[in-house]
Amino acid sequence: MSSSESSSHRRVSLLTLGCARNEVDSEELAGRLVEGGWELSDDPSDSDVVVVNTCGFVEQAKKDSVDTLLAAADTGAKVVAVGCMAERYGRELAENLPEADAVLGFDHYPNLAERLADVAQGRTVESHTPTDRRTLLPITPVERQAAATDVTVPGHAGWGPRVLRSRLDDSPVAPLKIASGCDRRCSFCAIPSFRGSFVSRHPDELVAEAEWLAAHGARELFLVSENSTSYGKDLGRDFGGTRALEQLLPRLAAVDGIDRVRVSYLQPAETRPDLVKVIATTPGVADYFDLSFQHSSEAVLRRMRRFGSTESFLALIEQIRSYAPEAGIRTNVIVGFPGETEEDVAELERFLTEARLDAVGVFGYSDEDGTEAETFDGKLDSSEIAERVGRVSELVEELTSQRAEDRVGSVVDVLVESVDEEIVGRAAHQAPEVDGECVVLGDAECKVGEFVRCEVVDSAGVDLIVRPINPAPGDPDPET
């Protein structure tokens, strides 16, 4: 029986947890399921199967994934776990969570429509057996492109006359996955073991998908990966090699219908001067830098298996602002890492104070299964970690509020995303969900997906209060 016959009149809901990379994976899965004869539903209680795309990054994400799986089971539908947590734990998750009717890994994705048909009809589907996905591709990056055709890499479904993807919302912002996996060996991170080695997507494939997204309502592209600064290192010199991202960005910005392209997940040690210049000065590319600093104490960074220091990070920020003084810069930091001293925390606080960042995520260290840091000595008590998280978070709140207040009087182009009780959108320095928003004052008749040129008149924390203005003669149209 074909997948379309076995899934005829079947309805499926997809619930996505975690990052924007997972959102892309869910839309690829949606495309595969529609192709396989399934009907997408927004209502889990009215579905035959609920697919939960789990997150397995940190302990809280795992808990949220389990809670979502349990809630899905309460609807009476069959429940299937996919995504990072399912890939990472597989059989172990299935044994400990009988509410899930199947736990499927990335290798199940190409035939997901058939596997869901099996689940819907009560047939047993063998649970995923985890493996270190770094072992599936050659160690040498330039040898991976040919080998990757035999390995399932979520978000790399191929391209041609059509894009294998179905949008799951009508947002004017769409994530576009430019690569998957990571070759770095940060001592606290397990992602490479279950996401695999770094693999870039072909630039022509990305342009084709960008055109498809523009035709399906996207005005801003949010480029995602585990490490965007590595894009192209496995593509070879014909496609720019390690300079491939600098060549890709103008092509994406030139796609008809796309007005803003935003890059995420930049590694500071790999953020080259040429890349800084392209992001900061290319029309249509947001002057926005999502830099994964993680800490600034050299001693802590060495234990994290990372590179940098307060001074080198400040020099990078100075370089960015020499091109674009109002550029948005955000980061995440981990406090309470094994062996972290009060002097290390003070160094991090010095960096944050001098850097004047727009947004900072503060996370307390916790052991992750299978990571090098899990074996380190010098672990801090949970109470000490919580105290440091609170202290640094309080400083960050004050500093980012000041940074937002400094923007009062400036002019920003706001992409409108909601016009319900109030008009809400985002400026170039604000990424979706994590960096605050702009609240548009006045009675302007704005539509979702429009760009509105505004003056910043006030701030509230990291959020800006803005008022529409008429472009002055000679000013560029914010939609061009």
Side-chain angles (χ1 to χ4, degrees):
M1 183 180 295
S2 71
S3 62
S4 59
E5 290 172 335
S6 62
S7 57
S8 178
H9 305 300
R10 299 285 191 182
R11 294 167 63 82
V12 59
S13 292
L14 288 105
L15 305 179
T16 306
L17 294 98
C19 63
R21 299 184 294 271
N22 255 18
E23 294 175 19
V24 176
D25 294 351
S26 285
E27 293 197 347
E28 178 194 309
L29 294 180
R32 291 185 182 277
L33 292 172
V34 169
E35 185 178 66
W38 285 83
E39 180 183 349
L40 301 178
S41 172
D42 294 329
D43 184 2
S45 64
D46 189 36
S47 298
D48 299 284
V49 180
V50 178
V51 176
V52 180
N53 191 353
T54 61
C55 179
F57 182 40
V58 293
E59 200 59 40
Q60 184 59 51
K62 299 173 197 173
K63 181 180 183 302
D64 292 343
S65 294
V66 170
D67 289 346
T68 302
L69 287 162
L70 293 173
D74 289 341
T75 67
K78 299 286 188 179
V79 177
V80 174
V82 298
C84 291
M85 188 176 182
E87 175 65 34
R88 186 176 182 184
Y89 295 104
R91 291 179 181 275
E92 179 184 348
L93 178 61
E95 291 169 0
N96 288 281
L97 195 71
E99 291 84 355
D101 295 277
V103 176
L104 307 181
F106 297 154
D107 292 333
H108 288 97
Y109 284 13
N111 300 307
L112 188 64
E114 291 92 333
R115 298 294 74 77
L116 294 197
D118 290 336
V119 171
Q121 293 168 16
R123 293 191 289 269
T124 300
V125 178
E126 187 174 354
S127 297
H128 164 64
T129 300
T131 187
D132 187 335
R133 296 192 72 84
R134 290 172 293 190
T135 64
L136 302 181
L137 291 170
I139 294 176
T140 305
V142 295
E143 297 177 354
R144 290 179 192 159
Q145 287 294 313
T149 59
D150 299 321
V151 176
T152 301
V153 183
H156 293 232
W159 59 288
R162 61 178 180 79
V163 172
L164 188 56
R165 179 172 179 174
S166 291
R167 296 208 68 190
L168 295 174
D169 60 38
D170 57 0
S171 170
V173 183
L176 176 61
K177 182 180 285 191
I178 65 172
S180 288
C182 186
D183 290 339
R184 299 183 70 88
R185 294 294 181 265
C186 300
S187 62
F188 56 85
C189 183
I191 288 176
S193 66
F194 57 86
R195 276 289 183 179
S197 299
F198 185 89
V199 183
S200 303
R201 295 180 68 190
H202 193 287
D204 291 345
E205 176 183 343
L206 294 170
V207 172
E209 188 163 332
E211 292 170 345
W212 182 88
L213 288 167
H216 288 77
R219 301 293 302 279
E220 177 180 314
L221 299 179
F222 186 35
L223 308 190
V224 299
S225 70
E226 274 76 26
N227 178 5
S228 295
T229 40
S230 284
Y231 177 74
K233 73 176 187 179
D234 54 326
L235 293 176
R237 293 183 179 179
D238 289 346
F239 299 99
T242 57
R243 300 296 187 268
L245 185 56
E246 288 99 299
Q247 297 179 17
L248 175 66
L249 288 171
R251 292 186 64 188
L252 294 177
V255 170
D256 188 30
I258 297 300
D259 294 286
R260 190 156 69 195
V261 177
R262 181 185 306 276
V263 188
S264 64
Y265 305 108
L266 302 173
Q267 288 290 342
E270 299 176 15
T271 303
R272 305 168 297 276
D274 287 350
L275 179 59
V276 169
K277 183 176 181 180
V278 168
I279 294 175
T281 64
T282 301
V285 176
D287 50 354
Y288 173 83
F289 293 81
D290 175 14
L291 292 159
S292 177
F293 290 122
Q294 301 300 351
H295 211 285
S296 72
S297 162
E298 289 187 78
V300 174
L301 288 167
R302 282 197 299 270
R303 286 193 293 273
M304 289 180 168
R305 304 291 182 242
R306 296 177 66 85
F307 304 94
S309 65
T310 294
E311 300 309 325
S312 66
F313 292 163
L314 290 175
L316 175 58
I317 291 170
E318 182 179 1
Q319 182 184 85
I320 291 169
R321 288 179 174 149
S322 70
Y323 287 112
E326 299 302 317
I329 307 176
R330 83 166 325 272
T331 196
N332 294 318
V333 297
I334 298 173
V335 295
F337 194 78
E340 182 189 64
T341 65
E342 281 292 340
E343 289 76 14
D344 294 326
V345 179
E347 182 70 1
L348 175 61
E349 291 171 329
R350 180 173 79 87
F351 165 67
L352 294 171
T353 300
E354 295 186 29
R356 295 169 43 244
L357 304 175
D358 291 275
V360 182
V362 182
F363 298 90
Y365 171 82
S366 62
D367 285 336
E368 278 297 304
D369 297 338
T371 61
E372 183 184 6
E374 187 182 24
T375 68
F376 286 178
D377 56 13
K379 299 283 179 64
L380 279 68
D381 291 339
S382 58
S383 59
E384 177 67 16
I385 294 175
E387 188 277 328
R388 293 183 182 185
V389 168
R391 187 201 325 169
V392 175
S393 295
E394 185 175 349
L395 173 64
V396 161
E397 183 176 358
E398 178 183 353
L399 293 171
T400 54
S401 295
Q402 290 175 358
R403 177 67 173 161
E405 187 176 347
D406 289 343
R407 293 186 181 275
V408 173
S410 65
V411 174
V412 294
D413 290 333
V414 177
L415 174 59
V416 177
E417 296 182 317
S418 173
V419 292
D420 295 330
E421 295 182 1
E422 56 186 5
I423 301 170
V424 177
R426 290 177 301 102
H429 71 282
Q430 297 169 320
E433 299 182 3
V434 294
D435 295 340
E437 60 190 18
C438 292
V439 178
V440 183
L441 299 178
D443 55 1
E445 294 185 4
C446 299
K447 296 180 181 178
V448 171
E450 286 186 331
F451 276 84
V452 181
R453 179 152 292 180
C454 299
E455 180 185 3
V456 180
V457 297
D458 202 355
S459 64
V462 295
D463 296 335
L464 301 182
I465 314 301
V466 302
R467 190 183 303 279
I469 59 175
N470 294 320
D475 277 357
D477 187 331
E479 297 190 13
T480 61

